[in-house]
Amino acid sequence: MTVKFPLLQIPLINFFASSTRISRHRRFIFMASQSYFDSPSAATTDYPVPLSPPLPALSKDIEPNRALTASSKSALFSLSRSHVIFEDEWIIAVNKPQGIYCESVLSSLPDLLNDTGANVSELHLANRLDRDTSGVMLITKLHKVAAKFVKAFTDHKVRKTYLAYCVGLAPKWEKITVKSGHGRSKYGAWRVYAASDAGRKLPGGSLVKDMETSFEVLSVNGLGCFKEVSDFHKDEDVVIVQEKSVIGCDLKKDEILVRASPQSGRTHQIRLHCQYLGIPIRGDVRYEGVYEWKGSRYDSHELHAESLSFEHPITGKPMLLQAPLPSWAIQP
């Protein structure tokens, strides 16, 4: 069944800096107050119109503080062997903690590998996770291996699954795939666009790109069972976004645990599509997720990179790397 729906908005900023992290973040916050959190009063008719809503006012107060806290934590972060999921002479996979920047994980890796005598001059991030997203992060040890992974990701030969704890109205679907456009709006925020807008030019000169995510419901209000990774494309509904969503995010009633598999790798992709489906991620104030829920406050969004599966670029063996589940994913 094919259903036509609408989508949402998003911004992406790299808060991480080198030796002057904190001061640069402060400069960012000043700039953000002027442009990032401001939404245009009217759509520019010469460009595609974003379908996702502007950033909630709450995010203006909370997101900068989260960035500063993460900068402080990241500056002190050190990898240990307990973070390692898998390692051989070509790659190493680690379980990135929530609230730590990817660059901090990478920069702390040489101290861990020096004890083994490994070459640390060619380390490269094969995949990236948002600041508050935990889970599998893959790092290559050689330039030639990094190049092979770039091609594998580009050719969609690496499968990724995520777990998200959402709060909204329990969906009527069990499996669904959302197809939309994705790009930066005039004011620099990442937004959802119509699927038919893919390829059209945006104000900054970039183009709207296609974005596709498959979802599977695992639990609603604690009822359900944890499933192994399955074929998302079996018996699923398909949503092709062409207009604004008719599903509001103000119906904060149910707790839904979903597994998501992005077919593309766009910035904030899963978070945007969860918002579009009316089930924003708990703690994700940027995309209408609840900040306070049942007497508790959530200082980060609850999104976890569950697994990566691919063919090993050197040995050719099938690989499935899975990160330990966070407590919020186990409880339901």
Side-chain angles (χ1 to χ4, degrees):
M1 177 179 69
T2 299
V3 182
K4 292 188 176 180
F5 255 131
L7 249 288
L8 288 168
Q9 139 187 11
I10 304 180
L12 177 65
I13 291 138
N14 182 2
F15 293 93
F16 189 86
S18 55
S19 59
T20 56
R21 296 185 185 100
I22 301 300
S23 62
R24 292 183 184 177
H25 295 330
R26 287 172 179 162
R27 288 199 297 272
F28 161 76
I29 293 169
F30 174 74
M31 294 168 62
S33 67
Q34 295 181 319
S35 62
Y36 176 77
F37 294 103
D38 294 335
S39 59
S41 58
T44 303
T45 56
D46 296 335
Y47 298 104
V49 177
L51 301 180
S52 51
L55 298 175
L58 182 64
S59 65
K60 181 177 180 180
D61 299 323
I62 294 177
E63 281 296 322
N65 291 329
R66 287 181 175 179
L68 287 177
T69 300
S71 293
S72 299
K73 289 175 59 178
S74 296
L76 300 173
F77 178 72
S78 178
L79 271 177
S80 69
R81 279 289 156 187
S82 63
H83 292 108
V84 177
I85 298 171
F86 173 83
E87 182 182 9
D88 61 18
E89 59 185 296
W90 302 287
I91 61 176
I92 181 170
V94 299
N95 183 23
K96 186 187 89 67
Q98 191 178 58
I100 301 295
Y101 290 103
C102 289
E103 291 85 351
S104 293
V105 176
L106 181 64
S107 63
S108 67
L109 188 55
D111 291 336
L112 184 68
L113 296 180
N114 280 335
D115 295 338
T116 65
N119 177 20
V120 298
S121 63
E122 298 184 10
L123 298 177
H124 184 273
L125 290 173
N127 70 313
R128 290 178 174 271
L129 301 177
D130 291 341
R131 176 193 69 210
D132 291 333
T133 301
S134 58
V136 182
M137 202 175 89
L138 186 63
I139 300 168
T140 59
K141 297 181 178 181
L142 298 171
H143 293 323
K144 66 176 183 179
V145 179
K148 288 179 179 292
F149 269 109
V150 169
K151 180 172 174 53
F153 276 102
T154 302
D155 294 342
H156 304 290
K157 292 184 177 180
V158 179
R159 185 183 185 190
K160 302 164 286 185
T161 67
Y162 292 75
L163 297 176
Y165 199 105
C166 306
V167 176
L169 191 63
K172 297 179 180 180
W173 45 265
E174 180 180 350
K175 293 182 180 182
I176 198 169
T177 291
V178 181
K179 299 180 179 181
S180 73
H182 172 272
R184 281 189 187 275
S185 66
K186 180 179 178 181
Y187 288 79
W190 294 107
R191 308 286 293 270
V192 168
Y193 289 82
S196 58
D197 284 334
R200 294 183 63 189
K201 189 175 181 179
L202 292 167
S206 61
L207 302 178
V208 175
K209 297 182 179 180
D210 64 291
M211 179 166 65
E212 179 178 341
T213 314
S214 295
F215 292 91
E216 179 182 19
V217 174
L218 299 179
S219 171
V220 176
N221 297 324
L223 299 178
C225 61
F226 196 85
K227 307 172 184 177
E228 294 299 323
V229 177
S230 60
D231 182 3
F232 278 87
H233 299 285
K234 182 179 180 181
D235 301 325
E236 67 178 15
D237 293 334
V238 177
V239 170
I240 300 177
V241 176
Q242 298 292 2
E243 56 188 13
K244 291 183 178 180
S245 178
V246 297
I247 307 173
C249 292
D250 54 340
L251 299 176
K252 308 291 195 299
K253 177 184 177 182
D254 301 303
E255 299 176 349
I256 308 105
L257 180 66
V258 299
R259 174 178 283 129
S261 180
Q263 309 305 312
S264 47
R266 310 305 179 203
T267 302
H268 296 182
Q269 174 169 333
I270 295 171
R271 298 163 63 185
L272 281 171
H273 276 171
C274 281
Q275 182 189 25
Y276 180 79
L277 291 171
I279 52 170
I281 299 171
R282 188 166 67 180
D284 193 2
V285 295
R286 185 174 292 178
Y287 301 115
E288 300 185 278
V290 293
Y291 176 53
E292 297 184 1
W293 180 250
K294 294 185 176 179
S296 298
R297 286 187 175 182
Y298 294 87
D299 292 323
S300 57
H301 64 246
E302 295 184 324
L303 180 63
H304 181 68
E306 177 191 24
S307 72
L308 283 176
S309 55
F310 53 89
E311 184 180 281
H312 195 289
I314 303 300
T315 67
K317 294 181 178 179
M319 303 286 295
L320 173 61
L321 304 179
Q322 293 181 291
L325 299 181
S327 58
W328 56 259
I330 296 174
Q331 292 170 358

